[in-house]
Amino acid sequence: MSEPTKRPLLRRPRFLIAIVLAILFVWARWGPMRPLFEVPYSTVLLDRNGELLGALVAADGQWRMPMGDSIPQRFERCLLQFEDRSFRRHPGIHLPALVRAWMQNRKAGRRVSGGSTLTMQVARLAGSNRERTIANKVGEMLLALRIELRHSKDEILAMHAAHAPFGGNVVGLEAAAWRWFGKAPEELGWAECATLAVLPNSPATIHPGRNRDALKAKRDRLLGRLLHTGDLDSLQWSLALEEPLPEAPLPLPRRAPQLLGTLHATGYGGKRITTTLDGDLQDRASAMADRHANTLRANEVHNAAVLIMDNATGEVLAYVGNLPSATAEHAGSVDIVRAQRSTGSLLKPFLYAAMLQHGERMPDQLVADLPTSYEGFAPRNFDKRHLGAVSASEALSRSLNIPAVRGLREHGVDRALRMLQAVGLKSLNRPGSHYGLSLVVGGAESTLWQLVGAYASLARIAAPTINIQGPAVVAPHVVHQEHEGSQAERTPPLNKAAVYHTLQALQKAERPLAEAGWKHFANARQVAWKTGTSFGHRDAWAIGVTSAHTVGVWTGNASGEGRPGLTGTLAAAPLLFELFSTLPPGEQWDLPYDDMDRMAVCRSSGFRAAPTCEPVDSLWILRAAGRSPLCTYHRSIRVNADATRRVRPGPGSELVSWFVLPPAMEHYYAPLHPTYRPLPPWEAGAGGEEGNELMELIYPEAGARIHVPVLLDGTYGQVVLQAAHRDHPSRIHWDLDGRHLGSTADEHRIPVDLSEGTHRLTLTDQGGRSIAITFQVDRGKRPER
């Protein structure tokens, strides 16, 4: 008897089934599959600890938060007990549940149960809740199997929790927790979790806004089941039953709405954004800003912004983009932290530091504060006064415009602009000719964001290297683990010694009377601070720096409308110091001895001491100052016994050192300083002085270029020439290009019509002593008629 013929392997049914199943498994597990959920999500803003700061509704009008990694254990227990107690054991389909649902539906004659597992519900949600037919049910079962092969059980739970409907336009557990209970899912109690667990079962007909009795009954049945399973004890169960259902939907937090809007519009839309903000500090800063809003509104000022930065890390700790109470009428949604505004005087400290670094200034040397005009640009101090001579540090702390402009002209606009860009002011992106000498007195525009970063860079440069992270210049960053535009260079644009002297000037130097009330506070907390006011009183700034933090405040109107009295001192500084009161005090800045030398410094002029100077101080000064000139304001003169006359050498005479300012400086300086002693006159017949020792042109200076504008009536304006003479009374005769203009006594000012071209001006006093200068005149063009 012959052996039976063996059937080919490929024709055996079991083997074919195995191959088909293997192919289906490979396809289900690794085959192409479109994303389950292609829906828009809300943009969610979190603080550094994960607390919700705010959210925006998704593009389709739904509150749908981006999916998280997991769900709270308490909600998971409620959900599984209500929807799918076998979830952890089945492969996505639970046949007993399907059979039971079929029998219940057949007995009732209508659909009363679906038998869907949570995984099948995820499949249905991914299909946008298609019509419930047998064909769709089969499709959901197949998709559920694929989901189970590709995702863990925890991931499936997270997908369900993120996309289940919770009534109205609320989708997902996180949105539901905030909208119905005003808290994060992790903070929900048992009754609240049970309420949300039963909501997706029938959100269109039963939710906190309708059919409340039916909803409460379903919730209470679930709580009873949790008692039976041991998840709740009897006390927890009875307390949970007493909790009321939520009423109307609650608004989501709005703790940083402008920042949320900015990030949403700049690539973070539909994402969960973890920021560097400190939620508690953010709330305090917002509340303080809103308290100051009442004072601002009394002057028709409706907007303000605050930024607080950690100097060591560059992280933004508080971001108030606008007043919380600002209405839509006053652009309350505008993020002013990122808006470009006139910088006022805020760039002056950087010029001061740069001039120190290049040996162009000593920290406290006298600088001129005189009437000044350069090619039609005539800066004025805020109080319209002139001090004649003032120390550079005081000129900075008092924010005097004239010394700053004169310093910028000496230093160079292009050099200053490169340095400002290097400290992070990237908005200054036009050539130096665009800004001109107005660069440091409000002619530039930047943002609170960049300015706070630049001031923080001063603190980072001055701090010991061990205390900072990364390069000295780092732009602020507000998104966690993302440094926005940080500089790659490790070499700072300013050295430690120059920055040290700058911070000392901003911290300790004399303040105007209006700022005197904060001097003790600033010194006690080691705050170096600067105010700024733009032309037309449109912007009021205050920025302060300690070793640990930088705080910036802007106040004004987003519309650009100026208001009288809107100054940095009155409108921004009070809020600045209230904000600093909530922060830890700073530490003293360490002397950077490696960049400094002990120098002999003239106490009167602040220059390096010349042999004729006395008294002289020995001070630690930045090394670059060794290139600055020696003091020229002390002269050795011989006087009589009571120092009231200059005399020739002889019995009774004494050689002394005398502090003498040039005539123009002395003209303004002497009335403000009663202790200043002008040079004593010569004893009769003993001698005399040259004209340039007695007289000086205040305006114009030698070699100046004057621009004469065209007035509204089409005529050219007059130019007022001004001079100073040491002697009182005195008389000066004015001569322009050989033509006698007139004579003046004591107050030496004379108006004159100037033609275009080069002119020579000669001054002669009553003693026949004379001085002469040449200058250029440009006339504006008359409009064509």
Side-chain angles (χ1 to χ4, degrees):
M1 187 174 178
S2 61
E3 295 184 5
T5 304
K6 292 185 177 181
R7 299 173 67 182
L9 190 62
L10 291 177
R11 299 177 65 179
R12 295 181 183 179
R14 291 181 181 177
F15 185 75
L16 290 174
I17 292 173
I19 290 177
V20 171
L21 291 176
I23 292 173
L24 287 174
F25 178 83
V26 171
W27 169 79
R29 179 68 178 84
W30 292 288
M33 180 176 172
R34 66 175 180 83
L36 288 174
F37 296 98
E38 295 182 303
V39 293
Y41 293 97
S42 298
T43 305
V44 178
L45 194 70
L46 307 174
D47 81 346
R48 64 196 305 122
N49 299 313
E51 293 183 7
L52 183 68
L53 298 173
L56 294 176
V57 70
D60 60 356
Q62 304 293 308
W63 287 106
R64 185 189 297 109
M65 310 297 199
M67 190 176 72
D69 297 330
S70 60
I71 63 175
Q73 186 175 8
R74 188 175 292 173
F75 178 77
E76 179 184 335
R77 290 298 302 151
C78 291
L79 182 63
L80 295 185
Q81 282 298 318
F82 183 76
E83 291 282 6
D84 191 353
R85 280 173 273 181
S86 302
F87 174 74
R88 294 287 180 181
R89 298 189 298 273
H90 62 64
I93 301 171
H94 191 223
L95 291 177
L98 289 171
V99 172
R100 183 176 63 252
W102 177 78
M103 294 177 65
Q104 290 174 347
N105 294 339
R106 183 180 179 185
K107 182 178 180 180
R110 59 185 176 86
R111 182 187 176 279
V112 295
S113 176
S116 295
T117 63
L118 278 176
T119 312
M120 292 171 63
Q121 292 182 31
V122 169
R124 185 173 69 252
L125 292 170
S128 300
N129 282 321
R130 292 175 296 181
E131 184 180 355
R132 296 188 179 185
T133 64
I134 294 176
N136 286 339
K137 177 70 74 174
V138 173
E140 291 169 9
M141 294 167 63
L142 292 176
L143 182 54
L145 292 173
R146 296 195 75 184
I147 292 172
E148 289 279 349
L149 288 171
R150 290 170 178 255
H151 298 279
S152 69
K153 290 291 187 178
D154 288 338
E155 290 173 341
I156 295 170
L157 279 175
M159 283 189 284
H160 183 276
H163 298 92
F166 284 86
N169 67 339
V170 181
V171 177
L173 170 65
E174 186 175 3
W178 284 105
R179 290 288 281 164
W180 293 120
F181 296 104
K183 61 180 70 174
E186 295 77 16
E187 299 173 355
L188 296 173
W190 280 108
E192 295 162 336
C193 285
T195 301
L196 295 182
V198 302
L199 265 181
N201 184 251
S202 185
T205 57
I206 301 177
H207 62 75
R210 62 174 66 173
N211 294 332
R212 296 170 61 82
D213 292 341
L215 175 60
K216 187 175 187 304
K218 292 177 71 174
R219 182 202 71 174
D220 292 349
R221 284 196 298 273
L222 175 55
L223 290 172
R225 189 181 300 168
L226 293 169
L227 173 65
H228 178 73
T229 59
D231 291 292
L232 294 178
D233 59 31
S234 58
L235 178 60
Q236 291 174 315
W237 171 73
S238 61
L239 291 174
L241 291 177
E242 296 298 322
E243 290 191 27
L245 293 177
E247 301 292 338
L250 302 172
L252 268 69
R254 288 176 49 84
R255 300 164 68 185
Q258 291 80 25
L259 174 60
L260 175 59
T262 293
L263 294 177
H264 176 80
T266 54
Y268 291 93
K271 297 181 180 179
R272 185 184 302 273
I273 312 164
T274 300
T275 69
T276 61
L277 299 185
D278 180 318
D280 291 338
L281 182 58
Q282 174 72 17
D283 293 341
R284 293 199 303 271
S286 296
M288 290 177 184
D290 230 21
R291 281 201 299 272
H292 282 262
N294 293 327
T295 302
L296 294 174
R297 279 194 292 268
N299 190 30
E300 293 296 324
V301 176
H302 300 283
N303 305 100
V306 171
L307 197 67
I308 301 177
M309 179 176 168
D310 184 317
N311 295 336
T313 63
E315 295 177 345
V316 174
L317 303 180
Y319 187 117
V320 182
N322 211 322
L323 287 174
S325 57
T327 62
E329 179 185 359
H330 297 109
S333 62
V334 172
D335 184 358
I336 297 178
V337 169
R338 309 294 183 110
Q340 290 201 21
R341 310 290 300 199
S342 169
T343 56
S345 298
L346 292 179
L347 306 186
K348 291 175 182 175
F350 301 96
L351 173 63
Y352 177 83
M355 297 190 75
L356 293 179
Q357 178 167 297
H358 289 90
E360 298 164 342
R361 287 282 186 274
M362 290 280 284
D364 297 314
Q365 78 170 60
L366 289 179
V367 294
D369 182 20
L370 300 168
T372 299
S373 179
Y374 297 121
E375 301 181 6
F377 175 56
R380 294 183 178 182
N381 294 328
F382 185 78
D383 60 5
K384 308 296 192 296
R385 300 171 60 206
H386 301 93
L387 302 180
V390 60
S391 72
S393 60
E394 184 180 345
L396 174 60
S397 69
R398 297 183 65 165
S399 200
L400 299 179
N401 291 332
I402 292 173
V405 169
R406 296 173 74 101
L408 179 59
R409 187 169 187 261
E410 177 185 345
H411 183 73
V413 174
D414 289 333
R415 289 174 70 196
L417 187 58
R418 287 193 296 271
M419 177 271 302
L420 292 170
Q421 292 167 343
V423 296
L425 298 177
K426 300 303 183 183
S427 58
L428 305 183
N429 53 11
R430 299 190 179 186
S433 58
H434 171 79
Y435 303 104
L437 295 177
S438 69
L439 175 66
V440 295
V441 290
E445 289 189 343
S446 190
T447 65
L448 184 61
W449 179 265
Q450 292 187 8
L451 287 164
V452 166
Y455 272 79
S457 296
L458 296 180
R460 291 172 67 87
I461 292 170
T465 306
I466 194 172
N467 291 344
I468 65 172
Q469 300 174 18
V473 177
V474 176
H477 62 278
V478 72
V479 178
H480 188 60
Q481 295 181 341
E482 178 177 308
H483 289 251
E484 300 176 10
S486 61
Q487 306 295 312
E489 308 90 39
R490 287 277 172 172
T491 303
L494 298 168
N495 65 39
K496 284 181 179 291
V499 170
Y500 172 82
H501 286 300
T502 303
L503 294 173
Q504 292 299 303
L506 294 177
Q507 180 181 332
K508 296 181 178 179
E510 180 184 349
R511 294 285 182 179
L513 292 177
E515 299 177 353
W518 299 312
K519 183 175 180 181
H520 175 72
F521 178 92
N523 289 346
R525 288 186 167 261
Q526 305 297 320
V527 180
W529 56 289
K530 182 76 183 72
T531 58
T533 305
S534 68
F535 178 77
H537 298 274
R538 293 180 175 90
D539 307 273
W541 303 85
I543 298 182
V545 181
T546 67
S547 58
H549 300 97
T550 299
V551 178
V553 174
W554 174 92
T555 62
N557 287 310
S559 64
E561 177 189 358
R563 296 297 303 168
L566 181 64
T567 67
T569 298
L570 298 176
L575 177 55
L576 176 80
F577 286 108
E578 185 173 351
L579 291 163
F580 267 117
S581 71
T582 70
L583 299 171
E587 299 178 357
Q588 285 190 341
W589 308 101
D590 294 333
L591 271 167
Y593 291 106
D594 291 345
D595 296 328
M596 306 179 86
D597 289 327
R598 271 204 174 274
M599 295 185 188
V601 179
C602 174
R603 186 181 299 174
S604 301
S605 71
F607 281 85
R608 289 194 302 129
T612 53
C613 292
E614 59 178 62
V616 173
D617 296 318
S618 179
L619 303 175
W620 285 102
I621 304 291
L622 77 165
R623 187 168 295 120
R627 303 195 298 269
S628 64
L630 298 178
C631 175
T632 59
Y633 296 134
H634 276 92
R635 294 162 60 177
S636 291
I637 63 172
R638 192 170 291 277
V639 297
N640 59 10
D642 57 2
T644 58
R645 290 286 188 272
R646 279 182 283 173
V647 298
R648 296 290 184 184
S653 67
E654 181 183 2
L655 191 65
V656 298
S657 175
W658 204 279
F659 177 62
V660 184
L661 292 174
M665 284 187 175
E666 184 181 276
H667 175 75
Y668 293 99
Y669 184 89
L672 301 174
H673 297 80
T675 59
Y676 176 79
R677 296 189 301 164
L679 270 174
W682 281 95
E683 194 172 59
E689 294 175 294
E690 298 295 329
N692 58 6
E693 293 181 331
L694 286 173
M695 288 183 292
E696 186 177 9
L697 259 297
I698 296 175
Y699 182 76
E701 298 179 355
R705 181 178 292 272
I706 299 175
H707 178 76
V708 180
V710 179
L711 302 181
L712 292 176
D713 61 2
T715 63
Y716 288 104
Q718 287 190 315
V719 175
V720 177
L721 310 180
Q722 185 176 3
H725 199 291
R726 290 192 195 278
D727 291 344
H728 297 281
S730 60
R731 192 167 192 82
I732 294 178
H733 306 284
W734 300 73
D735 183 277
L736 181 68
D737 301 327
R739 176 171 59 92
H740 182 65
L741 298 176
S743 301
T744 56
D746 293 334
E747 283 296 323
H748 302 294
R749 297 179 182 176
I750 188 166
V752 62
D753 295 309
L754 292 174
S755 60
E756 188 158 337
T758 302
H759 296 277
R760 181 176 177 81
L761 180 64
T762 303
L763 277 62
T764 306
D765 71 0
Q766 70 270 23
R769 293 157 296 204
S770 64
I771 59 173
I773 67 163
T774 59
F775 61 94
Q776 298 285 329
V777 172
D778 296 325
R779 277 184 155 193
K781 292 184 178 181
R782 286 192 175 105
E784 296 183 2
R785 297 186 182 275

